């Protein structure tokens, strides 16, 4: 990999914690990549104490503020701002990069106090990432004053129309064990995600039931990898539809790449998303993908007809296309080729290049 950097600089990421999650994974991946560049010094400030869920380079310096959050919301926030400001003064970064709404709002104040340029990043669906009126108000007031707001989709960027300086940078795909993806495919549809209502797995199960009922020659299965509060409801639905032998809920898996490698179709049935990382992972394994066209992400991830988009929530249309994909191997082969081509846009090196370009631009030239 070859990265172009304007000059030596000290970068400081700020995030609530490095527990398991999409934003946490992105911070870890980008921070690790930046340490591969000789003239980058990389720090990460975590507000709440937690062991990192993702591997960090030994060259990344981790600072844990260990805020307890045992007071009222305003008092907790004041303490976080105070401790973040103090730590930034110690680190003396050239630029600060903050992730997620609450941390963004507090880091805006800290950056103004220490007079350092700030990039903030939103990684969730903006309609659902800010349920508290306290953060909604703070977001509305503070976001226009940042040097740049990074969104992960164009849809999210459009939401923040009241912020003048915005940029779209997709999430990088993690390092999938792509050598596994050459294995012989098995006749099953894969879905991955927490078993929560917003993931729409009930709709997926109903669509699958319609497809296999309509075409009884299809000897396919549906496997949904993940765990969550909807398990009992989904299990009941499977029994009610008499799909016990065709639908499996194996739970969360540390070896999800094994499922990606052997699946023949990937399905995303979410009612809404921030940025569906699992869809990008499926593309990188060359899986034919079908998804509801929900807000936000699927239409941008599956651009250039690299996958099948279905009207959000339309179970009958989803079922019809799912049946076609199961029955037609030539269509699956075509979509697989398109998927691999589209996945290049989410490669870690490509995404890191975009972050470096943005950092260079702001540090050298200021607001644009």
């Amino acid at each position: 990999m070859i990265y172009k950097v304007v000059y030596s600089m000290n970068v400081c990421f700020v995030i609530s914690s490095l527990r398991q999650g999409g934003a946490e994974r992105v911070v870890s991946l980008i921070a690790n990549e930046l340490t591969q560049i000789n003239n980058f010094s990389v720090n990460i400030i975590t507000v709440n104490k937690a062991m990192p869920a993702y591997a960090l380079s030994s060259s990344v310096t981790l600072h844990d503020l260990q805020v307890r959050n045992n007071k009222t919301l305003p008092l907790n926030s004041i303490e976080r701002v105070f401790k973040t400001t103090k730590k930034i003064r110690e680190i003396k970064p050239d630029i600060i990069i903050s992730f997620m709404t609450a941390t963004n709002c507090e880091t805006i104040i800290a950056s103004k106090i220490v007079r350092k340029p700030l990039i903030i990043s939103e990684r969730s669906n903006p309609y659902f990432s800010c349920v508290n009126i306290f953060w909604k108000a703070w977001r509305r007031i503070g976001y226009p004053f940042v040097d740049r707001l990074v969104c992960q989709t164009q849809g999210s960027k459009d939401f923040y129309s009241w912020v003048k300086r915005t940029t779209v940078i997709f999430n990088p795909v993690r390092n999938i064990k792509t050598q596994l993806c050459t294995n012989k495919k098995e006749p099953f549809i894969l879905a991955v995600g927490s078993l929560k209502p917003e993931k729409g797995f009930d709709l997926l199960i109903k669509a699958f039931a319609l497809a296999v009922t309509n075409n009884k020659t299809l000897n396919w299965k549906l496997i949904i990898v993940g765990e969550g509060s909807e398990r009992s409801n989904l299990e009941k639905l499977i029994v009610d539809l008499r799909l016990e032998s065709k639908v499996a809920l194996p739970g969360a898996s540390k070896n999800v790449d094994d499922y990606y490698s052997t699946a023949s179709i990937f399905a995303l049935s979410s009612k809404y998303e921030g940025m569906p990382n699992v869809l990008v992972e499926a593309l990188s394994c060359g899986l034919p993908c079908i998804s509801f066209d929900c807000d936000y992400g699927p239409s941008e991830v599956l651009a250039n007809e690299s996958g099948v988009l279905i009207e959000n929530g339309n179970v009958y249309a989803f079922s019809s296309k799912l049946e076609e994909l199961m029955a037609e191997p030539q269509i699956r082969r075509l979509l697989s080729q398109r998927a691999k081509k589209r996945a290049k846009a989410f490669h870690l090196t490509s995404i890191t290049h975009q972050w470096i370009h943005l950092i260079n631009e702001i540090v050298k030239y200021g607001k644009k």
Side-chain angles (χ1 to χ4, degrees):
M1 70 192 116
I2 300 174
Y3 296 117
K4 183 179 179 181
V5 186
V6 171
Y7 53 79
S8 178
M9 67 179 75
N10 184 351
V11 178
C12 177
F13 292 91
V14 184
I15 190 168
S16 178
S17 77
L18 287 177
R19 296 185 180 96
Q20 190 168 11
E24 294 82 355
R25 182 181 62 83
V26 171
V27 169
S28 302
L29 286 172
I30 300 300
N32 287 343
E33 282 294 290
L34 294 181
T35 63
Q36 303 301 309
I37 307 167
N38 291 334
N39 46 351
F40 261 112
S41 175
V42 182
N43 296 268
I44 300 177
I45 296 175
T46 58
V47 178
N48 302 312
K49 185 176 182 179
M51 289 294 293
Y54 306 97
L56 280 179
S57 167
S58 59
S59 299
V60 174
T61 304
L62 187 60
H63 308 267
D64 183 2
L65 300 184
Q66 300 189 33
V67 177
R68 294 180 179 274
N69 293 322
N70 57 358
K71 307 178 183 67
T72 63
L73 192 155
L75 289 177
N76 284 331
S77 187
I78 291 170
E79 181 183 0
R80 291 193 294 265
V81 170
F82 175 79
K83 289 190 173 183
T84 302
T85 303
K86 182 179 179 182
K87 183 58 66 175
I88 291 173
R89 278 183 170 144
E90 292 176 11
I91 295 170
K92 299 178 181 178
D94 295 293
I95 190 166
I96 306 163
I97 306 174
S98 172
F99 279 68
M100 305 302 287
T101 306
T103 302
N104 289 343
C105 291
E106 292 165 351
T107 307
I108 289 171
I109 297 176
S111 70
K112 296 303 178 185
I113 293 173
V114 300
R115 297 183 180 181
K116 296 292 183 180
L118 172 66
I119 299 170
I120 62 172
S121 183
E122 278 290 350
R123 317 310 293 178
S124 303
N125 186 310
Y127 285 102
F128 300 98
S129 65
C130 202
V131 295
N132 188 305
I133 193 170
F134 179 80
W135 298 120
K136 282 185 179 180
W138 201 337
R139 178 176 71 177
R140 184 79 188 193
I141 294 168
Y143 277 23
F145 293 96
V146 301
D147 295 274
R148 195 66 57 91
L149 165 61
V150 174
C151 300
Q152 55 188 349
T153 64
Q154 182 63 44
S156 179
K157 179 183 177 181
D158 292 343
F159 173 90
Y160 292 104
S161 58
W162 38 275
V163 181
K164 291 183 179 179
R165 296 175 292 273
T166 56
T167 298
V168 174
I169 302 179
F170 290 137
N171 284 351
V173 65
R174 67 181 178 83
N175 184 26
I176 304 288
K177 298 175 183 176
T178 52
Q179 71 274 13
L180 295 177
C181 298
T182 60
N183 289 353
K184 184 179 179 180
K185 298 297 184 179
E186 298 177 9
F188 75 87
I189 301 157
L190 175 65
V192 178
S194 300
L195 306 185
K196 297 178 180 179
E198 61 266 28
K199 295 302 181 182
F201 290 134
D202 57 328
L203 304 182
L204 176 58
I205 292 170
K206 291 174 183 177
F208 176 74
L210 287 171
V212 295
T213 299
N214 187 57
N215 189 340
K216 296 187 182 301
T217 64
L218 296 173
N219 188 25
W220 282 65
K221 292 186 177 181
L222 169 63
I223 298 178
I224 303 173
V225 178
E227 195 52 78
S229 59
E230 282 292 287
R231 170 172 284 277
S232 59
N233 291 332
L234 295 177
E235 288 176 337
K236 182 178 183 303
L237 178 61
I238 291 168
V239 172
D240 290 344
L241 295 174
R242 299 180 180 179
L243 294 173
E244 296 95 325
S245 63
K246 290 186 173 293
V247 180
L249 304 175
S253 173
K254 293 182 179 179
N255 299 312
V256 68
D257 290 3
D258 294 337
Y259 289 98
Y260 280 127
S261 70
T262 52
S264 291
I265 298 171
F266 184 85
L268 185 83
S269 54
S270 298
K271 299 171 183 177
Y272 62 86
E273 281 283 350
M275 173 69 177
N277 291 321
V278 292
L279 196 58
V280 179
E281 292 174 357
L283 288 178
S284 72
C285 272
L287 279 175
C289 294
I290 178 172
S291 172
F292 281 130
D293 189 9
C294 66
D295 293 335
Y296 293 107
S299 63
E300 296 177 52
V301 173
L302 299 181
N304 305 320
E305 298 183 334
S306 54
V308 179
L309 285 170
I310 304 297
E311 178 188 9
N312 197 17
N314 190 331
V315 172
Y316 293 100
F318 201 101
S319 173
S320 177
K321 200 63 184 181
L322 201 58
E323 180 185 342
E324 181 182 352
L325 289 177
M326 287 188 283
E328 301 291 344
Q330 65 272 24
I331 296 178
R332 297 199 302 274
R333 283 194 293 270
L334 175 61
L335 287 176
S336 177
Q337 293 169 3
R338 292 177 179 175
K340 292 174 183 177
K341 183 177 180 180
R342 178 59 180 158
K344 293 177 182 179
F346 305 92
H347 192 277
L348 179 57
T349 302
S350 173
I351 300 302
T352 304
H353 268 294
Q354 294 174 53
W355 275 103
I356 291 172
H357 176 78
L358 179 59
I359 292 168
N360 286 341
E361 179 184 309
I362 291 176
V363 171
K364 187 175 182 180
Y365 301 110
K367 296 179 182 179
K368 289 287 182 181

